[in-house]
Each structure stands twice: as C-alpha cells, then as structure tokens.
Amino acid sequence: MTVWQDVFPIIDQHIGEWEGEYVHLDPEGKEIDRHTSHLRMWAPTDGSFDVIQVNTYTWPDGRQEQVEFGGTLTGRDIHFDNDRIVGHMHQSDEQTILLTWSYKDLLKPGNYLYELIQLSKDGQEKVRTWHWMEEDRLVRRTVIRETKIV
C-alpha cells in the first residue's frame, strides 16, 4: 500500500516510464510543433517530494529539452511549484486526472493551462490534452499519446 491509496490511487499506475508524442495545434487545428517525449515518474524516498516527473522532449532536428517537476500531496491534490510552473492536479475518476497550471516565464497576462489525462483501463496507454489559455481565450491545444515502457 502506498501513500496514494486513499486519496489519489490512480497515481500508482502513472509511476514508471512512458514514451510518446506531443502535437501542438493553433486554435484552428493547424499543427505548429511536433516532437517525441520520454517521461519518467517516481515516488522518491528521500522526502523531497511525494512524486517527481522528468520529461525529455526530442525534436526531429535533434534538439532536446529536459524538465523536472516535483509534486507534493496536499489533501486530495498534488501541488507543483518550481522555476517553470505552478499548479495542481487531482483525480476525478478511476481513469482521469485533471491538472491546472501556469507557466511562470510567460510574460502574457492571464496564462493558464488545463490538462486532461485519460489512462486506459489496462494502464498501458494514456492520452493527454492541454488547452492553453491567455486572458480566457484559447491560444493553443496540445495532444499527447503515450505508451508505458516500464
């Protein structure tokens, strides 16, 4: 039994490594970026965070970016607050996580994102969609498909 069992049981199925692809779309659905991803999520034992996720993005031209997100369980939510983002996520049903966050370095006012993470019943596939908002207007969507590899 883990710390998540009572308040966020779905997170155990997200622990591990995932490979996938991000497709970024403008508000009309036109593709503006596409890249592969490798995601690793684990529950550290050193007490630093309740969960850590490291995403590695790779573009067709060979560019790479790696970002780390540490989250802390507070009540029924996991909260994130680091150099890149601030936000929180919670489990809404047996297969779904809802996440809301803002990028700290975006200079545009009122930026926030809503993310829906839908896990397959067998726990081996997940799809994620992001709605990028600025001043309550949709400015981008991101569609992500991932497969569990470990």
Side-chain angles (χ1 to χ4, degrees):
M1 182 180 274
T2 66
V3 67
W4 314 105
Q5 285 308 124
D6 293 333
V7 296
F8 213 127
I10 195 174
I11 204 71
D12 279 335
Q13 292 181 279
H14 287 265
I15 299 290
E17 294 188 42
W18 300 80
E19 288 185 343
E21 181 178 57
Y22 283 54
V23 179
H24 298 277
L25 308 168
D26 72 12
E28 288 73 40
K30 180 182 174 191
E31 184 175 314
I32 55 178
D33 187 29
R34 179 183 295 256
H35 55 84
T36 62
S37 65
H38 179 271
L39 179 153
R40 180 173 171 249
M41 179 184 275
W42 72 95
T45 58
D46 65 4
S48 58
F49 291 101
D50 293 310
V51 66
I52 296 177
Q53 179 173 307
V54 174
N55 295 2
T56 303
Y57 309 116
T58 305
W59 282 264
D61 65 6
R63 285 180 299 131
Q64 275 197 331
E65 179 184 17
Q66 188 172 74
V67 293
E68 181 174 313
F69 307 97
T72 303
L73 185 65
T74 305
R76 302 188 79 75
D77 288 356
I78 295 176
H79 290 265
F80 300 91
D81 190 353
N82 55 51
D83 292 341
R84 187 177 177 103
I85 67 167
V86 60
H88 66 278
M89 67 180 184
H90 69 272
Q91 180 174 339
S92 63
D93 64 30
E94 299 79 28
Q95 292 175 254
T96 309
I97 293 174
L98 297 175
L99 174 60
T100 303
W101 82 93
S102 294
Y103 280 106
K104 290 182 174 181
D105 65 350
L106 288 181
L107 299 177
K108 297 178 181 172
N111 86 82
Y112 58 95
L113 290 89
Y114 286 110
E115 179 176 353
L116 173 70
I117 305 171
Q118 187 71 36
L119 185 67
S120 63
K121 289 186 185 203
D122 67 5
Q124 298 304 301
E125 303 280 331
K126 64 180 168 179
V127 293
R128 303 190 285 146
T129 55
W130 299 357
H131 289 115
W132 299 62
M133 308 296 287
E134 289 177 7
E135 296 182 347
D136 296 324
R137 301 292 184 261
L138 180 70
V139 296
R140 180 188 286 196
R141 286 178 286 201
T142 301
V143 180
I144 306 157
R145 291 180 36 181
E146 295 169 310
T147 301
K148 194 167 197 174
I149 57 172
V150 178

